[in-house]
Amino acid sequence: MAVAQGKEEIIRVDTQLVDVPIAVSSANGMALRGLTKSNFIIYEDGKRQETVDFSTTAAPFEVALVLDTSGSTRNDLHLIQRAAKSFIAGLRPGDRVSIIGYNTSRTSTEAFAVSEILMGLTSDRDILGGAIDDLKTSNGTPYYDSLIQVVEKVFRDKPKDEFRGRRALVALTDGVDSTSAESFATVKEVLGQIGIISFFIKVDTREYFESNLLGDCRAATRFSQAQIRRYYKSFNPKSNMEKAVDFCGLGEFERLAISKKLYEIADTEMNELSKSSGGKVFPVADLSEARNAFKSVADEIGTKYTLGYYPSNDKRDGTYRKIKVDVAGLPKGTTVRAREGYTAPTN
């Protein structure tokens, strides 16, 4: 018997515990509270799994809050600060938050946008408020870089037991990256590996951006080379960017076409990250609506369940595994949003 227990322990050490955050809503869209482990059935690649861990909606969360202060948002910094403070005030006392913002760094010859962690994870509301007061603005959008920072710095260490499967990214942004060294492909991979829930408050900045895009090319808002490259590669991944190096060589029609495509790419990427993680995108027309959107995100975080299971497929082969969660004993019309899958570890 002792040997059998030992074998079980070894299996559990070597097998990855998969955490699955879940949101459950009634037919009228209201979050369902008070559910138990017996209300959930979880499958991996079509095979039913045994739920070994279950957290209720009362369990605390850790949140990485990314605040995009580039582009059109630079003129409304106070609205961002007010909305962010309201969001933090709406979380529960045990929830912990980290603040990530953008800034402009300068050398003797150039200025460039950077992403900075203004405050690590803490539940101290006064300290978080001070970090929000320290928000600066940037002359570019290092959006992808900031999401990589969430993974590599904010959530670098494994969570304590009470936060396992209960970590979230919350980003206020238009999602149109202009200056990052990292790519979306990398962002998608690393976020999927750690299994955090992604929420986006998507600010519509397109009209403002395009109003400054036209006219004299020397005075207009310019696309970065990374943005132009992203535009052309959206049609042909093997395309080079030589034809688009000279911004002044672009006509107004082509400038608008590039802008439209960049915003479409941003929408697709945000929807992809949120859907695969069990999160959600909250569109807002402008920053004056951000406060209400943040309240919706806080409500979502406060009504999440988390299931944990050891996969019956214990191969460490690096393959992608699909996750499906069904509910039992709940009214007709109940809907579920959950993490959609993960990539198995390799030896």
Side-chain angles (χ1 to χ4, degrees):
M1 187 71 176
V3 173
Q5 289 177 344
K7 288 182 178 179
E8 179 70 11
E9 289 172 3
I10 292 172
I11 291 172
R12 297 260 165 140
V13 167
D14 289 342
T15 303
Q16 177 184 2
L17 178 67
V18 179
D19 294 306
V20 186
I22 303 168
V24 186
S25 303
S26 64
N28 62 3
M30 298 297 293
L32 293 181
R33 301 174 183 267
L35 305 184
T36 65
K37 184 170 72 171
S38 63
N39 292 120
F40 299 96
I41 306 169
I42 193 162
Y43 299 88
E44 180 179 296
D45 288 341
K47 296 181 180 179
R48 184 167 179 171
Q49 306 294 309
E50 178 187 359
T51 301
V52 298
D53 189 65
F54 177 74
S55 297
T56 68
T57 57
F61 251 86
E62 289 184 325
V63 178
L65 178 60
V66 176
L67 300 171
D68 180 349
T69 53
S70 65
S72 64
T73 64
R74 286 183 291 181
N75 298 323
D76 293 313
L77 182 60
H78 67 288
L79 290 177
I80 295 175
Q81 292 169 320
R82 187 180 71 177
K85 287 181 178 180
S86 177
F87 168 67
I88 290 171
L91 296 174
R92 292 137 337 150
D95 294 333
R96 306 204 313 155
V97 183
S98 173
I99 308 293
I100 300 94
Y102 300 162
N103 197 358
T104 300
S105 184
R106 291 178 172 84
T107 66
S108 58
T109 58
E110 63 177 339
F112 52 95
V114 293
S115 173
E116 299 179 331
I117 298 176
L118 301 178
M119 179 53 56
L121 290 165
T122 179
S123 58
D124 189 313
R125 297 323 192 229
D126 291 335
I127 291 177
L128 290 167
I132 291 170
D133 288 336
D134 288 338
L135 275 173
K136 302 296 191 299
T137 60
S138 67
N139 62 339
T141 311
Y143 168 61
Y144 299 148
D145 287 350
S146 65
L147 301 190
I148 293 294
Q149 279 189 322
V150 168
V151 176
E152 295 185 348
K153 295 184 178 181
V154 177
F155 294 145
R156 176 187 60 192
D157 299 325
K158 290 185 177 181
K160 295 180 179 179
D161 287 346
E162 65 266 35
F163 294 109
R164 199 182 66 243
R166 302 186 71 77
R167 284 178 158 178
L169 159 69
V170 178
L172 172 70
T173 181
D174 60 13
V176 182
D177 187 281
S178 64
T179 63
S180 287
E182 298 290 352
S183 67
F184 176 72
T186 301
V187 168
K188 180 181 176 182
E189 180 182 358
V190 297
L191 284 177
Q193 285 174 347
I194 66 171
I196 65 173
I197 314 166
S198 297
F199 296 99
F200 296 94
I201 298 175
K202 185 183 71 174
V203 184
D204 185 358
T205 63
R206 183 177 166 186
E207 182 178 350
Y208 173 90
F209 180 76
E210 292 182 351
S211 68
N212 293 280
L213 189 63
L214 306 180
D216 185 349
C217 69
R218 291 166 295 183
T221 299
R222 290 171 174 256
F223 297 117
S224 70
Q225 289 189 352
Q227 288 177 316
I228 297 173
R229 185 185 302 115
R230 192 173 301 125
Y231 169 74
Y232 283 112
K233 287 192 174 180
S234 69
F235 299 102
N236 180 7
K238 295 182 180 180
S239 171
N240 61 50
M241 59 170 293
E242 291 181 2
K243 54 188 162 185
V245 167
D246 182 13
F247 176 80
C248 286
L250 298 173
E252 292 194 345
F253 179 81
E254 190 168 11
R255 294 183 204 175
L256 292 174
I258 292 174
S259 175
K260 180 185 179 196
K261 189 63 179 181
L262 291 176
Y263 278 90
E264 288 176 353
I265 291 171
D267 288 351
T268 298
E269 290 174 350
M270 280 188 277
N271 285 320
E272 192 173 333
L273 292 177
S274 61
K275 184 175 183 295
S276 63
S277 67
K280 194 173 182 179
V281 177
F282 296 85
V284 296
D286 55 55
L287 285 168
S288 65
E289 300 178 4
R291 194 168 182 174
N292 287 335
F294 269 127
K295 182 181 184 304
S296 297
V297 175
D299 291 342
E300 278 266 338
I301 288 173
T303 56
K304 285 282 188 181
Y305 299 90
T306 304
L307 300 180
Y309 71 95
Y310 290 101
S312 56
N313 179 0
D314 59 3
K315 295 179 181 177
R316 303 173 69 87
D317 56 8
T319 59
Y320 184 78
R321 315 280 177 79
K322 293 182 179 180
I323 295 172
K324 181 183 178 184
V325 177
D326 286 340
V327 290
L330 298 181
K332 185 178 180 180
T334 297
T335 59
V336 177
R337 289 203 325 275
R339 184 181 182 185
E340 293 185 337
Y342 72 99
T343 299
T346 57
N347 290 324

